[in-house]
Structure formats: C-alpha cells, structure tokens
Amino acid sequence: MNGHTVEKIGGTSMSRFQEALDNILVGHRKGQELYNRIFVVSAYGGVTDMLLEHKKSGSPGVYGLYTGAESDWAWGDLLNKVGERMCEINTDIFEDDLNRQKADQFVRERIEGVRSCLIDLHRLCSYGHFQLDEHLITVREMLAAIGEAHSAFNTALRLQQQGINAHFIDLTGWRELDNLTLDERIKQAFSSIDLERELPIVTGYPRCKEGTMQTYDRGYSEITFSKVAVLTEAREAIIHKEYHLSSADPKVVGRDKVEPIGRTNYDVADQLSNLGMEAIHPRAAKGLRQRDIPLRVKNAFEPEHAGTLIDGNYKSDTPCVEIIAGRKGVFAIEFFEQDMVGSYGYDTQLLNILEKFKLKILAKDTNANTITHFVAGSLELIKRTTQAMKERFPSATVSVCKVAFISAIGSNMNVPGLLSNAASALAKASINILALHQSMRQVDMQFVVDEKDYESAIIYLHEHLIERCSMPAPVSLGAA
C-alpha cells in the first residue's frame, strides 16, 4: 500500500457532519477519486465528555460517576442520556427510517452491552475478593470505545447509502477474545482491504494489549491515525480541524490579522503540543517523523485551502517567528533553599515528587539556590505536591503563583535581536516579564507573565514579530 492518504476528522468537525461530507469525505469527487484514502474519525463533539469526564471542566461523565460510586445508579441514568444523545445524532444524519433504525440498533447494542458489563463488575467487586480499582482502566476504555465506534459506523453507513464502497473498521475489539498489540490489530484489520476499491472508516479508539488509554489517555485517536499511516505506508497524513493552524489564536488577535502558517516542521509541532495546542500528539508525530511521512493540517471547512504542511526537514530560509501561542492556568512552583548551593540531588528529588502527582512540566528555571517548575494540573494536586516538597525539605521555602505562558515559535529563529525585540514589545505594553526561557535550538522563546496580561501579550507579540514582518516589503526581524 502506498500512494494513499490517511486522514483524521476531529469530533467538532464530525458534529457538522453534512459539511464534513461536502468538504472532506465526498465533495466533488467521483468514481476512483473517492478511494485511496483512509479516514480515522473521532466521536461526535461532546460525546466522550459525557462518557468519561468534561475535558476542560473535569465534571464527571459516566466513568466519573461509576468510579465515584456516590449513587449506585447515577452512572446508569447518565448512560441512558448518552444513548439518547447518540440517537438524536442518528436522526440528524439519516433521513430514511431503515438506516436510522440500523444506527439506533448499533447504539443500543453497544450501550446495553457496556451497561451489563459494568453491573456485573460492580456485583463481582461487592464480594470483596475483587477490587474495582484494578479494573477501572478497562472500564474507561470500554466507555471511550462507544463514542468512537458510533461515529465510524454512522459515517460508513451514510457513505454506503450514497453508493460509495465504505468499509467500517472497528478497532475497539468489541466482543473479540484476541488480545492483540496495536500494530497487530491494525495489520489484521487492513490485511484484506483493497484501497483502490474500498474506503475504510476507522474507529479512533483501538483496543490493544498495551492499554491505549493507560498510555495515551484521550490522545488515542491521533495515535491510531499515526499508526495507520505508518503501517500502511501512506504518502501523506492529513488532519482536518475546525480551524487553520494559524499564526495566533484568531479569537484573541482577530481573524483579519492571523494567517495560516503554511509550512513548518515537527519541532514546532512539539512546542505547540507542550502548550496544549496540539497540532498532533507528540508520540503520534514521532512515528510520522521517523518514516518521513509529512503531516498536513487543514481547515475542514475550507477544502480548497492547502493548509499547513509539517515535515521533519523544513527550516525557513528567512529567520522568522511563525506562531505566537500561549497557555493560561499555569502554576509556578518556586523552591528556595540556601543549602542547595554547591549541592546535588535536589533537582532529582523534586522531579520525583512532581512525577508522583503526575503534573505536566512545561518548563523550569534554576539558579544557585532556587528551582522553579512551571506546571499544569489541578489546584488539589498542586497543594499536595507543595506539601510533599515541604515535608521532604523542612528548611526550604516553597511558594506557588498562577501565571500565563506565551511562546514565540518558529522553525528558524536564529537571528540577533529577536529576543530583545520581543521583550521591548512587552515592555512598551507595560507587561512585566516574570521569567523567560530560550534554548540554543532557536525554535522558541517563552515568556512568563501575569495571567491578566495573557491576551495583551499575545496581541503585542503577534503585532511586532509577525504582522510587521508579513507586509509586502518585509522588515528584517533584527531591525524591527
């Protein structure tokens, strides 16, 4: 297999299904043009939040209610609502009764199958010989699989309705006894597929021996997407998002001022991922990068636009900043200990504590007697982490403050004066820089500012480092 593309459609785009049909899945294609493509699809927007937990607020879904066990039946009531919501989606997608009934029956089978498993597991654990905690990751995976299978089944069914030879590929392992690795499951699923004549629609969630969610949690669909591209030797991987990979967040800077990046490399994609603005999951990018498979990020609703191409070798001919990105809600944990001067081991022990509480480290800085980690996590975990640090080092001073991270990122930023220009732009806007970082790789600069200055910092850096350098007669960044 080669000469084909592997394409991923995210949950928000899937929720606008008719547009996804018109712009991505079918569009103006006819006959053979419809094939030599593989689609990996996510659950419809909001469904996985209902099944697991809300991705942003953390409010519990079925999984959270089941594990919390505050009410024996609260999770079952919410599971009913999930099924109802899925059937509402079916009604929006299928106008004819026959296909809508097929879609509803698929939902009922999966929902009731999972419900029976969860009831049986709860009953089994009530005897005390079995511990619920030991099975929670399996519960989480079963619930996540429902939403992914639903969207893939519907997509294949709708395409078949239009006379297209779509093939539903269910990687969720539903009612399968084989415990396969991820590679084995994908190879088995594609062993008899003829891409010249079939259009595979693949579930974003794959059940595998390694434990998909234990390893990747909710980043699993992009891992599936990457693995399918690598194992089928795709010529290009394409992600369809509801927006362009742009020079900044248009909601902050203004749609008239941002522009699609157009071209960049996987190094830049890694920096974006670190800030939570995933062009692609870093572990997914690794496989594509190692196999020299380029990644294209496209706006799902602008099909004629080429989007942004990401590969492993690209480096801008002219040094420049390509994107201004940021993250709010970052906690700076400052550890001050005068006895640290000339000593070893403090850093390792602090990292062990951070790892214990599973905090995501965005950056850190250090001097003779202070180590500051900039991390993302819940307030409860931050409190437990700082308490553990104080107990381990009673004479140290541990303080916490909430900050924002702003990064200027580019594939080639090796030019004198760029850092000073950025700092000057923030100073002119009366924005105080609390900390800053720049590595020798010259691909990003990170500015730590007060949370209240988050949007202003992005706007001013975008204006000075990108907008002024994107005029018809560009101004050298070194002289900007």
Side-chain angles (χ1 to χ4, degrees), residues 184-210:
E184 289 169 345
R185 189 168 296 282
I186 292 172
K187 288 177 180 178
Q188 182 185 82
F190 281 89
S191 60
S192 60
I193 296 294
D194 182 357
L195 293 180
E196 295 282 344
R197 297 176 177 83
E198 295 177 88
L199 180 60
I201 308 297
V202 187
T203 58
Y205 165 80
R207 177 187 156 211
C208 61
K209 185 184 295 184
E210 303 94 294

Short mmCIF file of all heavy atoms in Angstrom, two decimals, residues 184-210:
data_model
loop_
_atom_site.label_atom_id
_atom_site.label_comp_id
_atom_site.label_asym_id
_atom_site.label_seq_id
_atom_site.Cartn_x
_atom_site.Cartn_y
_atom_site.Cartn_z
N GLU A 184 -0.55 -5.23 15.66
CA GLU A 184 -1.21 -6.45 15.19
C GLU A 184 -2.67 -6.21 14.83
O GLU A 184 -3.17 -6.72 13.82
CB GLU A 184 -1.11 -7.54 16.25
CG GLU A 184 0.30 -8.11 16.43
CD GLU A 184 0.41 -9.00 17.67
OE1 GLU A 184 -0.50 -8.96 18.53
OE2 GLU A 184 1.41 -9.74 17.77
N ARG A 185 -3.36 -5.44 15.66
CA ARG A 185 -4.78 -5.19 15.41
C ARG A 185 -4.97 -4.41 14.11
O ARG A 185 -5.88 -4.70 13.31
CB ARG A 185 -5.41 -4.45 16.58
CG ARG A 185 -6.92 -4.35 16.48
CD ARG A 185 -7.56 -3.87 17.76
NE ARG A 185 -7.39 -4.80 18.87
CZ ARG A 185 -8.10 -5.91 19.02
NH1 ARG A 185 -9.02 -6.25 18.13
NH2 ARG A 185 -7.88 -6.69 20.07
N ILE A 186 -4.13 -3.41 13.88
CA ILE A 186 -4.25 -2.60 12.66
C ILE A 186 -3.90 -3.44 11.43
O ILE A 186 -4.59 -3.41 10.41
CB ILE A 186 -3.36 -1.35 12.75
CG1 ILE A 186 -3.92 -0.39 13.81
CG2 ILE A 186 -3.27 -0.65 11.40
CD1 ILE A 186 -3.02 0.79 14.12
N LYS A 187 -2.81 -4.22 11.51
CA LYS A 187 -2.42 -5.06 10.38
C LYS A 187 -3.50 -6.08 10.05
O LYS A 187 -3.80 -6.32 8.87
CB LYS A 187 -1.11 -5.77 10.69
CG LYS A 187 0.11 -4.86 10.69
CD LYS A 187 1.37 -5.63 11.07
CE LYS A 187 2.60 -4.74 11.08
NZ LYS A 187 3.82 -5.47 11.51
N GLN A 188 -4.10 -6.66 11.08
CA GLN A 188 -5.17 -7.63 10.86
C GLN A 188 -6.37 -6.98 10.18
O GLN A 188 -6.96 -7.53 9.25
CB GLN A 188 -5.59 -8.26 12.19
CG GLN A 188 -6.66 -9.33 12.08
CD GLN A 188 -7.11 -9.81 13.45
OE1 GLN A 188 -7.95 -9.19 14.10
NE2 GLN A 188 -6.55 -10.92 13.90
N ALA A 189 -6.72 -5.77 10.64
CA ALA A 189 -7.89 -5.07 10.09
C ALA A 189 -7.71 -4.70 8.62
O ALA A 189 -8.68 -4.70 7.85
CB ALA A 189 -8.18 -3.83 10.92
N PHE A 190 -6.48 -4.40 8.22
CA PHE A 190 -6.23 -3.94 6.85
C PHE A 190 -5.71 -5.05 5.94
O PHE A 190 -5.43 -4.79 4.77
CB PHE A 190 -5.24 -2.77 6.86
CG PHE A 190 -5.86 -1.46 7.22
CD1 PHE A 190 -5.92 -1.05 8.53
CD2 PHE A 190 -6.40 -0.64 6.25
CE1 PHE A 190 -6.51 0.16 8.89
CE2 PHE A 190 -7.00 0.57 6.57
CZ PHE A 190 -7.05 0.96 7.89
N SER A 191 -5.61 -6.27 6.45
CA SER A 191 -4.99 -7.35 5.67
C SER A 191 -5.75 -7.66 4.38
O SER A 191 -5.14 -8.08 3.39
CB SER A 191 -4.88 -8.62 6.53
OG SER A 191 -6.17 -9.05 6.95
N SER A 192 -7.05 -7.44 4.38
CA SER A 192 -7.83 -7.78 3.18
C SER A 192 -8.47 -6.56 2.52
O SER A 192 -9.35 -6.69 1.66
CB SER A 192 -8.94 -8.78 3.55
OG SER A 192 -9.82 -8.22 4.53
N ILE A 193 -8.02 -5.38 2.90
CA ILE A 193 -8.60 -4.14 2.35
C ILE A 193 -7.92 -3.78 1.03
O ILE A 193 -6.69 -3.77 0.93
CB ILE A 193 -8.44 -2.97 3.35
CG1 ILE A 193 -9.24 -3.25 4.62
CG2 ILE A 193 -8.89 -1.65 2.71
CD1 ILE A 193 -10.73 -3.29 4.43
N ASP A 194 -8.72 -3.48 0.03
CA ASP A 194 -8.22 -3.01 -1.25
C ASP A 194 -8.52 -1.51 -1.34
O ASP A 194 -9.66 -1.11 -1.58
CB ASP A 194 -8.90 -3.77 -2.39
CG ASP A 194 -8.38 -3.34 -3.77
OD1 ASP A 194 -7.54 -2.43 -3.84
OD2 ASP A 194 -8.84 -3.94 -4.77
N LEU A 195 -7.51 -0.70 -1.14
CA LEU A 195 -7.72 0.76 -1.09
C LEU A 195 -8.13 1.33 -2.45
O LEU A 195 -8.66 2.44 -2.51
CB LEU A 195 -6.46 1.46 -0.60
CG LEU A 195 -6.08 1.18 0.85
CD1 LEU A 195 -4.79 1.92 1.23
CD2 LEU A 195 -7.21 1.58 1.79
N GLU A 196 -7.90 0.59 -3.51
CA GLU A 196 -8.32 1.06 -4.83
C GLU A 196 -9.85 1.00 -4.98
O GLU A 196 -10.43 1.72 -5.78
CB GLU A 196 -7.69 0.19 -5.92
CG GLU A 196 -6.17 0.28 -6.00
CD GLU A 196 -5.70 1.55 -6.69
OE1 GLU A 196 -6.53 2.20 -7.36
OE2 GLU A 196 -4.51 1.89 -6.54
N ARG A 197 -10.48 0.14 -4.16
CA ARG A 197 -11.92 -0.09 -4.33
C ARG A 197 -12.73 0.10 -3.04
O ARG A 197 -13.95 0.04 -3.08
CB ARG A 197 -12.16 -1.51 -4.86
CG ARG A 197 -11.57 -1.75 -6.24
CD ARG A 197 -11.76 -3.19 -6.68
NE ARG A 197 -11.27 -3.41 -8.03
CZ ARG A 197 -9.99 -3.65 -8.32
NH1 ARG A 197 -9.10 -3.72 -7.34
NH2 ARG A 197 -9.61 -3.83 -9.57
N GLU A 198 -12.05 0.28 -1.92
CA GLU A 198 -12.75 0.42 -0.64
C GLU A 198 -12.30 1.70 0.06
O GLU A 198 -11.13 2.10 -0.05
CB GLU A 198 -12.46 -0.78 0.26
CG GLU A 198 -13.01 -2.10 -0.27
CD GLU A 198 -12.62 -3.26 0.63
OE1 GLU A 198 -13.36 -3.55 1.60
OE2 GLU A 198 -11.57 -3.88 0.37
N LEU A 199 -13.23 2.28 0.80
CA LEU A 199 -12.93 3.49 1.58
C LEU A 199 -13.07 3.14 3.06
O LEU A 199 -14.18 3.11 3.61
CB LEU A 199 -13.90 4.61 1.20
CG LEU A 199 -13.73 5.94 1.93
CD1 LEU A 199 -12.34 6.52 1.70
CD2 LEU A 199 -14.79 6.94 1.48
N PRO A 200 -11.96 2.84 3.76
CA PRO A 200 -12.03 2.44 5.16
C PRO A 200 -12.36 3.61 6.08
O PRO A 200 -11.76 4.70 5.96
CB PRO A 200 -10.61 1.90 5.46
CG PRO A 200 -9.98 1.71 4.11
CD PRO A 200 -10.59 2.73 3.23
N ILE A 201 -13.31 3.39 7.00
CA ILE A 201 -13.64 4.35 8.04
C ILE A 201 -13.28 3.69 9.37
O ILE A 201 -13.90 2.70 9.76
CB ILE A 201 -15.14 4.73 8.02
CG1 ILE A 201 -15.56 5.17 6.60
CG2 ILE A 201 -15.41 5.82 9.04
CD1 ILE A 201 -14.86 6.40 6.08
N VAL A 202 -12.29 4.24 10.06
CA VAL A 202 -11.65 3.56 11.18
C VAL A 202 -12.02 4.23 12.50
O VAL A 202 -12.04 5.47 12.59
CB VAL A 202 -10.11 3.58 11.00
CG1 VAL A 202 -9.43 2.73 12.08
CG2 VAL A 202 -9.72 3.09 9.61
N THR A 203 -12.28 3.43 13.51
CA THR A 203 -12.53 3.99 14.85
C THR A 203 -11.28 4.66 15.40
O THR A 203 -10.17 4.12 15.28
CB THR A 203 -12.99 2.89 15.82
OG1 THR A 203 -11.98 1.88 15.90
CG2 THR A 203 -14.29 2.28 15.38
N GLY A 204 -11.46 5.80 16.03
CA GLY A 204 -10.31 6.50 16.62
C GLY A 204 -9.73 5.77 17.82
O GLY A 204 -8.54 5.88 18.11
N TYR A 205 -10.57 5.01 18.52
CA TYR A 205 -10.09 4.24 19.67
C TYR A 205 -9.75 2.81 19.25
O TYR A 205 -10.58 2.13 18.64
CB TYR A 205 -11.13 4.17 20.79
CG TYR A 205 -10.81 3.10 21.81
CD1 TYR A 205 -9.87 3.33 22.82
CD2 TYR A 205 -11.38 1.84 21.72
CE1 TYR A 205 -9.53 2.34 23.70
CE2 TYR A 205 -11.04 0.84 22.61
CZ TYR A 205 -10.12 1.08 23.60
OH TYR A 205 -9.77 0.09 24.47
N PRO A 206 -8.54 2.32 19.58
CA PRO A 206 -8.20 0.92 19.33
C PRO A 206 -7.94 0.17 20.64
O PRO A 206 -7.18 0.63 21.50
CB PRO A 206 -6.90 1.05 18.54
CG PRO A 206 -6.23 2.26 19.14
CD PRO A 206 -7.31 3.13 19.75
N ARG A 207 -8.57 -0.96 20.82
CA ARG A 207 -8.22 -1.80 21.97
C ARG A 207 -6.95 -2.57 21.66
O ARG A 207 -6.81 -3.13 20.57
CB ARG A 207 -9.36 -2.78 22.24
CG ARG A 207 -9.05 -3.75 23.39
CD ARG A 207 -10.13 -4.80 23.51
NE ARG A 207 -9.62 -5.99 24.16
CZ ARG A 207 -10.05 -7.22 23.92
NH1 ARG A 207 -11.00 -7.40 23.02
NH2 ARG A 207 -9.55 -8.24 24.54
N CYS A 208 -6.01 -2.58 22.60
CA CYS A 208 -4.76 -3.28 22.35
C CYS A 208 -4.13 -3.75 23.65
O CYS A 208 -4.48 -3.28 24.74
CB CYS A 208 -3.77 -2.39 21.58
SG CYS A 208 -3.30 -0.89 22.44
N LYS A 209 -3.19 -4.65 23.53
CA LYS A 209 -2.54 -5.27 24.68
C LYS A 209 -1.82 -4.24 25.54
O LYS A 209 -1.77 -4.34 26.76
CB LYS A 209 -1.55 -6.33 24.19
CG LYS A 209 -0.88 -7.13 25.29
CD LYS A 209 0.16 -8.09 24.72
CE LYS A 209 -0.48 -9.15 23.84
NZ LYS A 209 0.53 -10.15 23.37
N GLU A 210 -1.27 -3.20 24.90
CA GLU A 210 -0.50 -2.20 25.63
C GLU A 210 -1.37 -1.35 26.56
O GLU A 210 -0.87 -0.76 27.51
CB GLU A 210 0.24 -1.26 24.66
CG GLU A 210 1.18 -1.94 23.67
CD GLU A 210 0.49 -2.22 22.35
OE1 GLU A 210 -0.45 -3.05 22.36
OE2 GLU A 210 0.87 -1.63 21.34
#
